[in-house]
Amino acid sequence: MPQGIHEKVLLNELISTVHDLYRKRDDLDIYLTVPIDECYVYCDKNQLIRVLNNLINNAIQSIPEHRRGKINITLERNQHLAVICVRDNGCGIEDEMKDKVFLPNFTTKSSGTGLGLAMCRQIVESVNGAIYFHSKPNEGTEFFVDLPLMKSEE
């Protein structure tokens, strides 16, 4: 990945913009919850958009055709962290696959390179953040992105 151009980013606005790209889809319901308080982080805006798009697209692709898709995107403050969660009602991640999810070239899909989540991890960790997930087979998955809030938000 090229070195990011870090700047002060208002997460509430960025997440709302990404949500708007998906909210008019007819095949799923996508919900957004952001706090009233502004959450600023120091990161590359375009790389963070890439992370969110990857997580949302993965969520959409995990939903079986016979199930109405439901995706929740939330942003919360947790002390000095901004916590983004993308939750789906997809097929979930099998236990034997969980250790491989962030490895380059790993995929469970018939198409794709398997680089998406490895790239997401690299982007998030480059700004001292963390990415992790909880998943239940046949119920869905929650991906979390923890990003350090800027200390001075004036």
Side-chain angles (χ1 to χ4, degrees), residues 17-49:
T17 300
V18 172
H19 168 260
D20 286 346
L21 299 173
Y22 296 91
R23 69 182 175 92
K24 293 185 179 169
R25 288 182 60 129
D26 293 332
D27 58 336
L28 61 91
D29 301 315
I30 185 162
Y31 304 99
L32 175 67
T33 306
V34 294
I36 293 172
D37 295 338
E38 295 176 333
C39 297
Y40 287 97
V41 295
Y42 191 70
C43 67
D44 183 295
K45 183 178 184 177
N46 291 325
Q47 287 183 351
L48 189 55
I49 289 170

Side-chain angles (χ1 to χ4, degrees), residues 108-146:
T108 58
K109 299 179 227 169
S110 58
S111 65
T113 61
L115 295 176
L117 288 173
M119 175 203 65
C120 288
R121 175 180 253 171
Q122 183 179 5
I123 290 169
V124 170
E125 290 180 352
S126 76
V127 293
N128 300 314
I131 184 169
Y132 54 97
F133 66 94
H134 302 294
S135 187
K136 292 183 181 175
N138 298 317
E139 289 183 33
T141 302
E142 298 173 293
F143 269 89
F144 296 91
V145 175
D146 293 352

